[in-house]
Amino acid sequence: MTNISTPPLSADAVMRDAPVIPVIVLNDVRQAVPLARALIAGGIRMLEVTLRTSQALACIEAIAREVPDAVVGAGTVRSAADAVAARHAGARFAVSPGFTPALGRQCRELDLPLLPGVATGSEIMLAQEEGFKALKFFPAVQAGGLAMLKAWQGPFGDVVFCPTGGIHAGNAHEFLALPNVACVGGSWLVPADALARGDWDAITSLARAACELRR
């Protein structure tokens, strides 16, 4: 078990560290450390490793243990049990595809900053009732994209978003130009083919380009 006494971040700080949070799916723990180092070399240190594979927790633990410059988080956190497992593996933040009060309370008890997923006004209001105002908009493009974020600026002017889902290098700048968007999430920083080849230089180049996106 990784030491979990590292001082916590805030969700807002996670979202404002860089223009893009990479959404990472890893099936091989041997790829975790070199991938993390490649992303850091390109200027990206907030790393969301999704809990979609049997190796995800081991990958989080390896990055937390061996790459001190990385701030590794867990994505696809869907339950209180997921949050506990991620925190004990060394995750320093959590990202969820949706939101429940139980998940929010568990993350708060763990001092684990949570970016809860929302797709409707009612979900935003529920998250706000539980004290969350730095939110993941997911699935962003499919749930209304730029038009939805612009519509939310009026009633939810005190909320900041990380849109994820359908975001890529070609449209990320449009989302980042909105005043209520702090960053975007995307998988394009870690292409499956580059990961399979171990082409860490290519991933570093993608990370560097992402850091140059304007907010």
Side-chain angles (χ1 to χ4, degrees):
M1 180 186 301
T2 300
N3 189 331
I4 63 171
S5 62
T6 306
L9 302 167
S10 69
D12 189 70
V14 170
M15 288 171 60
R16 295 188 185 279
D17 195 71
V20 183
I21 297 176
V23 178
I24 301 166
V25 180
L26 288 170
N27 290 286
D28 186 345
V29 70
R30 294 171 297 181
Q31 297 172 326
V33 168
L35 171 63
R37 289 174 176 159
L39 289 165
I40 288 170
I44 299 290
R45 67 186 189 119
M46 298 291 171
L47 312 181
E48 177 191 340
V49 177
T50 63
L51 301 184
R52 300 180 191 175
T53 74
S54 61
Q55 295 298 304
L57 290 171
C59 291
I60 290 170
E61 187 170 4
I63 294 170
R65 182 179 62 247
E66 299 185 40
V67 192
D69 291 336
V71 181
V72 63
T76 321
V77 174
R78 300 190 302 167
S79 66
D82 284 345
V84 170
R87 189 71 174 106
H88 280 257
R92 294 183 59 195
F93 65 93
V95 184
S96 61
F99 176 73
T100 68
L103 175 59
R105 287 192 293 269
Q106 182 66 79
C107 287
R108 189 170 288 115
E109 289 176 9
L110 293 167
D111 288 328
L112 185 67
L114 173 66
L115 280 62
V118 299
T120 68
S122 295
E123 292 169 355
I124 294 171
M125 291 168 65
L126 178 61
Q128 284 189 297
E129 282 186 0
E130 295 293 324
F132 296 91
K133 61 179 182 179
L135 309 177
K136 170 183 174 178
F137 176 31
F138 177 81
V141 170
Q142 297 87 342
L146 296 166
M148 184 68 84
L149 286 162
K150 290 175 182 177
W152 281 343
Q153 288 176 17
F156 301 116
D158 56 340
V159 177
V160 292
F161 297 95
C162 171
T164 305
I167 312 296
H168 51 77
N171 65 6
H173 67 283
E174 296 179 89
F175 287 88
L176 290 166
L178 298 178
N180 56 348
V181 170
C183 68
V184 299
S187 59
W188 83 89
L189 272 64
V190 187
D193 57 346
L195 185 62
R197 294 194 309 270
D199 191 347
W200 311 124
D201 288 342
I203 290 171
T204 294
S205 295
L206 290 169
R208 190 172 291 119
C211 287
E212 294 174 357
L213 290 168
R214 293 185 178 182
R215 289 186 286 186

